[in-house]
């Protein structure tokens, strides 16, 4: 039963509906999908020492107070990734979880500087991830693309060196993004490197307005020429910005459980998702770093639907937004949208 047939929907029906419909995930840091069990398995395989003696003690450390307290543990977790097979195993585990949640298209962020700083070659990272993407298409029917992120706590010079190292793999990248510690590292710090990325034909996204002010969202749009804003929830503090985002249909890749775990909101019942939709914005649901924040796509959908009382029509809107916002060709977008429309008939 859907709202389209009956005009009503119960919260339980809306949750079930959210689980089963096809969707795209556009904000997933693949290193944030490393579950503690896989961190331990890879540490053993690669002879890497961990600061935590057991899976349980590592998981117990996942009590974050803000973005930085998470990033410290997230970068430590990624230190077990050394070989192509490690990047493959990590991404393949993600795709299997995504498939279980009816994700049919995914755009994966990766953080090469976390790896190249430890002596891991860019090619090792990209080849491992690409192989998982190809297997996800062949075995699970999930299409996917890679978005390389620059770490904003590092210099623009470092970002330029990273871009240079990625040039041999240009064909495997749909775009570039900007992540890591937001406050104190405004988008304008990366003006020149993003200009070069645009010349190379890379699509542009940037984290902005997660912990940082609305001004960082303006900078991401006007200076970096970002086509999507990752998080962006603080736009609501600036009505002129909201009007711009709505008029230009700039998508926001929102991550409700991340916002809860990193104390961007104190309670999911206070989450701005419904206000973003009510303002006519192209908001989408995503998991960000699902191994650290307590859930993959469907957990994000279901808990948001429950906390905010979203209806089936709003759930459909969120799924449509995810395909509208994805960096695919017009014909691939029609194919994805058709799968959604067929599932709600
Ligand atoms: N924000 C900024 N950087 C990140 C995040 C995030 O939510 N997740 C992984 N790197
Ligand atoms: Zn993120």
């Amino acid at each position: 039963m859907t709202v389209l047939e009956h005009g009503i929907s119960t919260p339980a029906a809306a949750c079930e509906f959210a689980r089963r419909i096809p969707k795209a995930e556009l904000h997933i840091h693949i290193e944030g999908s490393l579950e503690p069990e896989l961190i331990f398995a890879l540490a053993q395989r690669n002879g890497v020492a961990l600061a935590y003696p057991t899976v349980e003690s590592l998981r117990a450390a996942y009590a974050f107070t803000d973005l930085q307290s998470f990033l410290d543990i997230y970068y430590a977790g990624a230190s077990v990734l050394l070989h192509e097979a490690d990047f493959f195993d990590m991404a393949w585990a993600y795709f299997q979880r995504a498939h279980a949640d009816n994700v049919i298209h995914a755009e994966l962020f990766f953080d090469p500087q976390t790896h190249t700083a430890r002596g891991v070659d860019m090619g090792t990272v990209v080849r491992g991830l690409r192989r998982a993407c190809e297997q996800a298409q062949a075995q699970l029917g999930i299409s996917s693309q890679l978005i390389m992120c620059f770490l904003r706590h590092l210099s623009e010079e470092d970002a330029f060196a990273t871009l240079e190292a990625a040039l041999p793999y240009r064909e495997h990248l749909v775009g570039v993004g900007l992540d890591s510690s937001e406050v104190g590292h405004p988008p304008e710090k990366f003006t020149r490197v993003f200009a070069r990325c645009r010349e190379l034909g890379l699509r542009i996204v940037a984290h902005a307005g997660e912990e940082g002010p609305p001004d960082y969202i303006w900078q991401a749009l006007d200076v970096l020429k970002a086509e999507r804003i990752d998080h962006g929830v603080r736009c609501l503090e600036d009505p002129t910005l909201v009007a711009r985002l709505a008029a230009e249909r700039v998508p926001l890749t929102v991550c409700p459980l991340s916002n809860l775990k990193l104390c961007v909101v104190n309670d999911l019942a206070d989450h701005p998702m419904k206000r973003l939709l009510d303002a006519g914005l192209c908001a989408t649901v995503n998991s960000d770093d699902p191994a650290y924040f307590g859930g993959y796509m469907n957990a994000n959908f279901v808990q948001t639907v429950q906390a905010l009382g979203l209806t089936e029509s709003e759930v459909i809107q969120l799924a449509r937004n995810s395909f509208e916002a994805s960096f695919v060709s017009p014909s691939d977008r029609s194919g994805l949208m058709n799968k959604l429309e067929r599932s709600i008939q």
Side-chain angles (χ1 to χ4, degrees):
M1 184 200 329
T2 74
V3 67
L4 300 176
E5 289 160 343
H6 299 277
I8 49 159
S9 73
T10 64
C15 288
E16 207 31 56
F17 185 71
R19 276 189 231 278
R20 78 167 175 79
I21 58 172
K23 48 189 78 81
E25 174 148 56
L26 306 176
H27 186 159
I28 159 80
H29 302 263
I30 198 62
E31 294 90 347
S33 74
L34 257 187
E35 292 286 342
E37 290 77 7
L38 188 52
I39 290 178
F40 270 76
L42 294 177
Q44 193 161 33
R45 187 159 97 185
N46 293 334
V48 174
L50 290 173
Y52 299 88
T54 60
V55 166
E56 292 70 33
S57 61
L58 175 59
R59 212 183 276 281
Y62 293 0
F64 311 116
T65 50
D66 57 12
L67 175 59
Q68 193 60 50
S69 65
F70 154 70
L71 290 171
D72 294 341
I73 285 202
Y74 161 83
Y75 295 129
S79 70
V80 300
L81 298 161
L82 292 183
H83 307 296
E84 184 181 321
D86 306 336
F87 292 92
F88 171 85
D89 289 345
M90 169 174 69
W92 180 241
Y94 163 72
F95 280 123
Q96 288 173 292
R97 300 234 190 200
H99 182 59
D101 284 357
N102 296 308
V103 170
I104 59 170
H105 177 75
E107 299 186 1
L108 274 50
F109 293 146
F110 69 108
D111 286 341
Q113 287 153 299
T114 307
H115 314 302
T116 52
R118 297 178 292 109
V120 177
D121 179 66
M122 176 73 78
T124 301
V125 180
V126 176
R127 278 191 295 272
L129 298 179
R130 273 304 309 166
R131 207 151 51 77
C133 291
E134 283 157 19
Q135 187 164 304
Q137 181 70 70
Q139 296 188 15
L140 306 173
I142 301 180
S143 56
S144 60
Q145 295 181 301
L146 296 177
I147 297 176
M148 179 174 82
C149 287
F150 300 117
L151 298 181
R152 67 203 301 162
H153 67 273
L154 300 177
S155 66
E156 188 182 48
E157 195 185 354
D158 207 313
F160 263 116
T162 303
L163 179 60
E164 187 68 28
L167 287 182
Y169 311 98
R170 165 67 189 87
E171 65 183 304
H172 299 307
L173 304 179
V174 71
V176 291
L178 185 64
D179 65 0
S180 190
S181 321
E182 185 180 6
V183 174
H185 302 284
E188 64 188 7
K189 179 178 164 185
F190 296 92
T191 304
R192 285 155 295 266
V193 75
F194 275 80
R196 178 74 191 120
C197 291
R198 294 198 306 276
E199 282 172 9
L200 291 165
L202 290 157
R203 311 294 297 264
I204 307 294
V205 300
H207 283 55
E210 178 186 17
E211 287 188 342
D215 181 50
Y216 284 21
I217 303 177
W218 284 106
Q219 286 184 28
L221 296 171
D222 291 334
V223 181
L224 304 187
K225 316 284 186 204
E227 299 167 71
R228 293 196 303 239
I229 300 294
D230 298 312
H231 293 294
V233 289
R234 287 194 61 192
C235 72
L236 287 170
E237 296 167 29
D238 181 342
T240 312
L241 176 58
V242 171
R244 159 119 184 242
L245 294 168
E248 296 181 10
R249 275 202 82 66
V250 177
L252 302 186
T253 63
V254 180
C255 308
L257 289 178
S258 165
N259 294 153
L260 181 65
K261 291 290 161 33
L262 299 188
C263 307
V264 169
V265 296
N266 292 321
D267 193 316
L268 265 194
D270 302 327
H271 193 276
M273 182 61 94
K274 188 164 167 53
R275 276 172 282 151
L276 296 170
L277 289 175
D278 289 347
L281 299 186
C282 183
T284 62
V285 173
N286 306 270
S287 70
D288 207 5
D289 301 280
Y292 293 90
F293 298 150
Y296 288 75
M297 275 294 266
N298 279 356
N300 274 275
F301 260 101
V302 164
Q303 291 184 46
T304 306
V305 165
Q306 284 172 333
L308 301 179
L310 300 185
T311 63
E312 287 184 17
S313 334
E314 287 167 323
V315 169
I316 294 170
Q317 186 66 54
L318 286 165
R320 283 198 185 116
N321 290 350
S322 76
F323 297 128
E324 179 185 336
S326 62
F327 291 149
V328 294
S329 67
S331 73
D332 285 352
R333 192 184 326 283
S334 308
L336 294 167
M337 284 282 191
N338 285 341
K339 282 187 185 166
L340 173 62
E341 302 308 326
R342 276 198 301 276
S343 81
I344 61 180
Q345 294 304 308

